[in-house]
Structure formats: C-alpha cells, structure tokens
Amino acid sequence: DADVTQTPRNRITKTGKRIMLECSQTKGHDRMYWYRQDPGLGLRLIYYSFDVKDINKGEISDGYSVSRQAQAKFSLSLESAIPNQTALYFCATSDPRTSGIYNEQFFGPGTRLTVL
Amino acid sequence: AQTVTQSQPEMSVQEAETVTLSCTYDTSESDYYLFWYKQPPSRQMILVIRQEAYKQQNATENRFSVNFQKAAKSFSLKISDSQLGDAAMYFCAYRSSGAGSYQLTFGKGTKLSVIP
C-alpha cells in the first residue's frame, strides 16, 4: 500500500549540490522520522518530528536539515551533498494513539541517493 | 545506550526447511519492545513480528515465531516452511517503553537466502 510515499525513488547528484528528499503520508500519523541505511550498518535515525512545530535531531544529523511542512509532509535536505552521504534513505511514521503500546513505525519505500 | 547485535551477516535455508536468525541486545531497562523487520529486494521495510518484554508468551505470526529469552537478552526469529519469498534482509530492532520513547535501534541485519 502507498500510505507512506517518498520522492524521488532514486537520485544521482554531484558533490556540493543541494538536494531535497520528500515524504508524504496518508496514515494521519503525527510522528515522522528520517533514517539512513548503509550496507552493513542497519538503519540510523537522522531526524524525527512529533508534530508540525516539533523537530529533533537523531543519531546522525550533521549535514542534514528537515522541514515539517504539514502533518503529512516531512522533507529531508542535504545542503551540500558529499559522497559519504550516498545511502538509502527511509521515511517512517508512527502514532501511539492508533498503534497502541507498540507504537510501531511504518516505512516508506526508500530513496536511493548517490552522490558523485 | 541500547545496542542490538545480529551475529549472522548471511544465512541460507533450503525451501520448506526451518531457519533461525539470531538477535541479542543490551539494555538496563525492564520493559521494552522488540521487532523483526523484513527488507526484500524491493527495499520496503516490512514489520514481521513484535514482542513486548513483559509478555512471557513468545509472539507468533503464521510461519514466523520468536524465541524471546529475557534474561539472556535474546530475541531470535524462527521461520518455518521457508518459501522463496522469504529471501530478504532481516533486521532486529529495539525500542524503549519509556514515556515519549520513539527511537528504534536496529541491528546490522542478516541476509537470508532461500535455496530452491
């Protein structure tokens, strides 16, 4: 299902370019997250937001910024892309009001970003 | 900080056989949540099964079950009657149950191959 969508799905860019990855959700969830996946490292949290006015840094926020334009939209920006930001990026959503005690996270399809 | 360890980078199983993927974690908390996510070649992160630490009974979802050993801090995933569609990366994840907790801590993943 397409409850959480990410655009673009794939992107190749050059060092120094600014790039934005977008995430939209139709689940009505209030919490949104950006993760980065590198081979052999699993997923690591970049930023998270609990509502439109709430933005928080995660484990690896350096070199990234985010914008929560609306409850349903959460964008990740690389102000000046560098090759070691080449990775798979995931957006996720959750909402303890509807997910119960587990507050499980639902992931988008991912964006594969290559920085040359 | 919590850590999650998946000691098997790769595993393989014959179709229709049973395979167990290992996951251990380090925490000082008494209540928390554990998850197994599947990532097929499509890249989508799919929740397979979840477990609350206070629940003694091991979770089961169709052919997927867990062996949760709280004292040993172990959370292994058993896949019975393996199918070709089970071939994927599998990630174990931990989340605290503390108020306002949100962050999933992932292991590095195990790549499962299913041999016809």
Side-chain angles (χ1 to χ4, degrees):
Chain A
D1 69 20
D3 293 332
V4 184
T5 57
Q6 292 183 233
T7 55
R9 292 294 312 277
N10 298 281
R11 179 73 182 267
I12 299 173
T13 191
K14 294 182 179 180
T15 298
K17 294 291 187 181
R18 184 179 188 274
I19 185 168
M20 179 182 288
L21 309 182
E22 299 186 341
C23 176
S24 295
Q25 52 117 346
T26 58
K27 299 184 78 67
H29 287 176
D30 58 1
R31 300 181 180 190
M32 298 187 74
Y33 312 80
W34 275 104
Y35 288 90
R36 167 178 172 159
Q37 182 183 7
D38 296 279
L41 291 180
L43 279 75
R44 294 178 291 167
L45 184 65
I46 306 172
Y47 271 95
Y48 63 100
S49 169
F50 282 4
D51 64 42
V52 174
K53 296 180 180 179
D54 176 77
I55 301 290
N56 302 281
K57 293 182 177 180
E59 180 185 351
I60 53 164
S61 60
D62 287 349
Y64 302 95
S65 62
V66 292
S67 173
R68 185 83 183 264
Q69 301 96 321
Q71 186 204 32
K73 295 184 182 295
F74 192 37
S75 300
L76 176 72
S77 293
L78 287 68
E79 297 301 326
S80 180
I82 56 176
N84 76 2
Q85 291 178 312
T86 293
L88 187 56
Y89 291 85
F90 284 99
C91 175
T93 73
S94 73
D95 193 329
R97 298 171 300 175
T98 56
S99 301
I101 59 172
Y102 289 98
N103 191 24
E104 62 192 75
Q105 294 185 17
F106 297 85
F107 287 80
T111 294
R112 183 169 297 284
L113 176 66
T114 302
V115 183
L116 301 176
Chain B
Q2 292 80 19
T3 58
V4 177
T5 302
Q6 295 179 247
S7 58
Q8 308 149 315
E10 296 188 21
M11 291 195 70
S12 61
V13 62
Q14 291 284 146
E15 195 175 4
E17 296 295 311
T18 296
V19 64
T20 299
L21 308 183
S22 300
C23 173
T24 59
Y25 54 93
D26 184 26
T27 184
S28 59
E29 299 174 333
S30 59
D31 196 19
Y32 46 85
Y33 302 96
L34 297 164
F35 305 85
W36 277 99
Y37 280 88
K38 171 185 178 181
Q39 185 181 41
S42 67
R43 307 189 318 215
Q44 183 73 48
M45 293 288 287
I46 303 165
L47 180 64
V48 174
I49 201 165
R50 58 193 188 182
Q51 174 88 36
E52 184 185 6
Y54 264 114
K55 291 189 175 179
Q56 301 287 339
Q57 187 173 6
N58 288 326
T60 299
E61 291 287 343
N62 300 314
R63 298 183 294 106
F64 298 87
S65 61
V66 299
N67 183 5
F68 174 49
Q69 302 287 330
K70 190 174 183 179
K73 298 180 182 177
S74 172
F75 183 60
S76 59
L77 175 69
K78 185 172 81 171
I79 306 174
S80 304
D81 185 25
S82 296
Q83 301 176 359
L84 295 178
D86 295 333
M89 285 289 291
Y90 287 82
F91 292 96
C92 180
Y94 172 104
R95 185 176 69 79
S96 170
S97 68
S101 66
Y102 59 90
Q103 181 165 352
L104 284 174
T105 300
F106 286 87
K108 295 181 178 181
T110 296
K111 183 178 181 181
L112 178 67
S113 300
V114 180
I115 303 166

